[in-house]
Amino acid sequence: MRILSLVLLAALMSSCVVIRQDEVAIKRRFGKLVGKPVSEGARFFNPFFATYLRVPVRNINLEISLDIPSQEGLTIRSEVSILYRLDPNKVPQILREVGKNFEENLISPVFRSALADVSARFLAKDMHTIKRAAIEEEVKVQMMNIVKDKGFIIESVLMKRIVLPPSLSRAIEEKLSAEQDAQRMEFVLQREKQEAERKRIEAAGISESQKLLSEGLTKDVLKFRAIEAYRELSQSPNSKVIITSGGQVPFLLDQK
């Protein structure tokens, strides 16, 4: 009796499948898919005649490392992530036409072909610039044109790592270094030009000031200033001797 109970319990457990929140499942009876995909929860079935095939419908990250060609014929080592998901309503079609190994049978081959086709139209150096985003978008569009009707949705293609040939890497580094040196020299020249302009303006201001001063010092003004200077000297209580060129006569009011 105990053995029979254990057998019945094992049969009951083997006839139940639990579908998680990120999955859908479809029943297969006598090798044929029947019914529509079902979502999360527990489902019971006759283990002798049927089973449930579970398929993930969450976003899947497929990482692939491969060598890709460039426009100039170089071989570039790359590491790429493909984010994709399955259309839940097309799971029966996917299982019939592609099978459960859809990554090996469809996604990976389509991606490799699309990336090789797109990368061959770009220079190797473009894969290290903002053109990388254009490459990713073109690969995504090309893949979607093939896999969309089969029940797959490509969310994004991300080129995580690009390894250029050593000679090309050195050439790019030297070019960037030369561009930085040129920018630095341009900054120095601009600064020197600004300093030269400042000095020119300063010199022009001094020259204009001296010109105005010299124009204001007429003979009458100079004579008047000399008279005032002699007058101040004459009012001093100290003994003094004033020597002039004779052109202007001092007025000495007192002499001690």
Side-chain angles (χ1 to χ4, degrees):
M1 188 67 179
R2 183 178 179 183
I3 295 176
L4 180 60
S5 298
L6 292 175
V7 172
L8 292 175
L9 180 61
L12 181 62
M13 293 179 62
S14 64
S15 63
C16 177
V17 62
V18 177
I19 306 167
R20 296 181 300 185
Q21 68 274 9
D22 59 352
E23 297 176 325
V24 297
I26 187 168
K27 182 183 285 187
R28 183 170 64 185
R29 182 187 299 136
F30 294 113
K32 294 182 179 181
L33 301 178
V34 295
K36 295 182 179 180
V38 293
S39 57
E40 57 187 289
R43 296 291 186 275
F44 292 92
F45 59 93
N46 188 333
F48 298 103
F49 306 106
T51 187
Y52 272 94
L53 300 179
R54 297 184 302 177
V55 179
V57 291
R58 64 183 181 276
N59 281 339
I60 301 173
N61 179 20
L62 174 61
E63 296 186 353
I64 299 178
S65 298
L66 73 164
D67 294 331
I68 56 177
S70 67
Q71 188 181 66
E72 61 266 59
L74 298 176
T75 299
I76 312 300
R77 188 66 181 170
S78 64
E79 295 180 5
V80 187
S81 285
I82 310 164
L83 298 179
Y84 73 97
R85 58 185 174 88
L86 281 64
D87 184 348
N89 297 321
K90 292 187 177 182
V91 167
Q93 176 186 341
I94 293 172
L95 293 175
R96 290 189 185 100
E97 298 179 358
V98 185
K100 291 195 68 174
N101 297 325
F102 42 79
E103 284 190 350
E104 297 178 5
N105 297 334
L106 181 66
I107 301 298
S108 180
V110 170
F111 164 72
R112 291 176 181 272
S113 175
L115 181 58
D117 179 66
V118 173
S119 67
R121 302 199 299 268
F122 288 83
L123 298 173
K125 64 182 181 65
D126 294 338
M127 301 179 192
H128 267 289
T129 65
I130 57 175
K131 291 186 178 181
R132 176 186 295 193
I135 297 174
E136 295 171 343
E137 184 62 23
E138 285 195 34
V139 174
K140 173 187 172 182
V141 171
Q142 192 162 321
M143 290 184 68
M144 280 295 294
N145 292 336
I146 299 174
V147 304
K148 183 178 181 180
D149 293 338
K150 298 183 182 297
F152 296 90
I153 301 171
I154 307 299
E155 296 288 352
S156 60
V157 175
L158 305 174
M159 301 180 70
K160 300 195 304 179
R161 187 166 179 260
I162 297 295
V163 181
L164 299 177
S167 58
L168 181 59
S169 296
R170 287 194 299 271
I172 293 176
E173 291 176 357
E174 291 173 357
K175 180 181 178 181
L176 291 176
S177 178
E179 290 177 352
Q180 291 176 353
D181 290 341
Q183 292 176 356
R184 185 163 48 250
M185 182 58 66
E186 180 67 22
F187 171 77
V188 172
L189 291 175
Q190 186 66 24
R191 186 179 61 186
E192 293 296 330
K193 288 180 180 179
Q194 292 176 350
E195 180 64 16
E197 181 66 13
R198 185 191 67 79
K199 291 182 177 179
R200 186 190 67 79
I201 294 174
E202 182 181 8
I206 295 174
S207 175
E208 184 68 18
S209 176
Q210 292 176 344
K211 180 180 179 181
L212 292 174
L213 181 62
S214 62
E215 290 177 353
L217 295 178
T218 62
K219 291 183 178 181
D220 292 337
V221 171
L222 292 174
K223 184 175 180 181
F224 176 75
R225 292 288 179 86
I227 293 172
E228 286 187 339
Y230 293 144
R231 180 179 299 169
E232 291 177 358
L233 289 173
S234 66
Q235 292 175 354
S236 173
N238 300 325
S239 298
K240 59 193 74 65
V241 176
I242 300 175
I243 301 175
T244 68
S245 62
Q248 296 177 354
V249 180
F251 293 89
L252 299 179
L253 301 179
D254 188 14
Q255 186 174 5
K256 294 181 180 181

